[in-house]
Amino acid sequence: MPSPWQLFLHGDTTLPDCFDAMVRTELSDEKVLATAFSFHVDRDEMTKPIAGLSMMEFTVNIRSRFFELPFGDQAMAITKQRYDALGGFPNEPIMEDFELVQRLRRCGAAGSGYIKTLPAGAACSARRWHAMSIWRTNLINQVIMIMYVYFGYTPAQIYGIYYGTTKGSGADSPKTKVASKTGAGESTKAE
């Protein structure tokens, strides 16, 4: 019987058609620690062109494919067994997808396998880039990762900076959707 797997994505991300068959196929390979879809911004909802959008998508996909650094807006999938073995997501208001990816990368560095970025794209809402430019949004994201990795900022502190509130509850951030399926696609759970 195929292994049960879970898929995690941001609330403003849309999955490609037949996503479950793609994930199931790739996760059946023991060397694939997790999957993520290629990064794509949903152009159907765009009200005006966004300068630099194609370049940003290109660089995100390079980061994901060659450096194994996908994030939640790429709909990451992992077997339930591996997710549990890694301790799942940390109970933090932000940076939880980054932490899970770092654990997976450490497993890969130890020879356990790799994170595979699938060619099909998960479509992310354009709202962030409409509100701020590509360059400003990406600069903020990079500064936040540097603060977290190199300067020891906590996820609660990062949340306050990113969302402009000290509550840290996540109530004013997009919800993360969780889909859990068996490898055979017998059951689905979404929150």
Side-chain angles (χ1 to χ4, degrees):
M1 180 169 165
S3 298
W5 52 272
Q6 297 174 313
L7 181 131
F8 305 95
L9 68 156
H10 290 177
D12 62 353
T13 300
T14 305
L15 294 167
D17 292 338
C18 302
F19 74 91
D20 52 341
M22 290 181 256
V23 168
R24 183 174 43 252
T25 298
E26 296 304 332
L27 289 179
S28 67
D29 181 347
E30 289 180 11
K31 292 306 255 177
V32 175
L33 299 172
T35 65
F37 290 94
S38 294
F39 179 78
H40 171 71
V41 174
D42 187 352
R43 284 167 172 73
D44 291 340
E45 70 174 33
M46 289 174 46
T47 57
K48 61 182 179 181
I50 301 173
L53 186 62
S54 294
M55 178 58 80
M56 189 256 312
E57 289 171 323
F58 176 75
T59 58
V60 167
N61 286 315
I62 285 187
R63 180 198 73 209
S64 182
R65 280 188 181 90
F66 297 108
F67 298 102
E68 298 181 39
L69 283 169
F71 297 114
D73 48 14
Q74 291 178 256
M76 294 186 298
I78 186 171
T79 64
K80 181 164 178 10
Q81 179 181 4
R82 182 163 285 121
Y83 178 78
D84 291 343
L86 291 171
F89 278 120
N91 187 20
E92 301 290 353
I94 197 167
M95 304 300 290
E96 70 285 355
D97 53 348
F98 182 82
E99 271 301 319
L100 182 62
V101 167
Q102 295 312 306
R103 292 178 199 165
L104 287 163
R105 291 179 76 217
R106 284 190 290 275
C107 287
S112 297
Y114 63 99
I115 302 168
K116 181 163 187 176
T117 300
L118 306 175
C124 181
S125 170
R127 69 177 168 70
R128 285 189 294 177
W129 297 286
H130 274 300
M132 299 185 287
S133 70
I134 293 280
W135 312 113
R136 183 173 180 212
T137 302
N138 287 351
L139 177 64
I140 290 168
N141 290 343
Q142 294 307 309
V143 167
I144 282 173
M145 279 195 274
I146 289 167
M147 291 166 63
Y148 182 71
V149 172
Y150 297 106
F151 294 101
Y153 279 69
T154 68
Q157 291 169 316
I158 300 279
Y159 182 93
I161 293 165
Y162 193 81
Y163 290 108
T165 180
T166 57
K167 293 178 186 173
S169 68
D172 51 356
S173 67
K175 298 284 185 198
T176 297
K177 293 187 246 181
V178 179
S180 178
K181 288 190 163 236
T182 66
E186 296 169 356
S187 65
T188 302
K189 175 185 170 194
E191 294 178 354

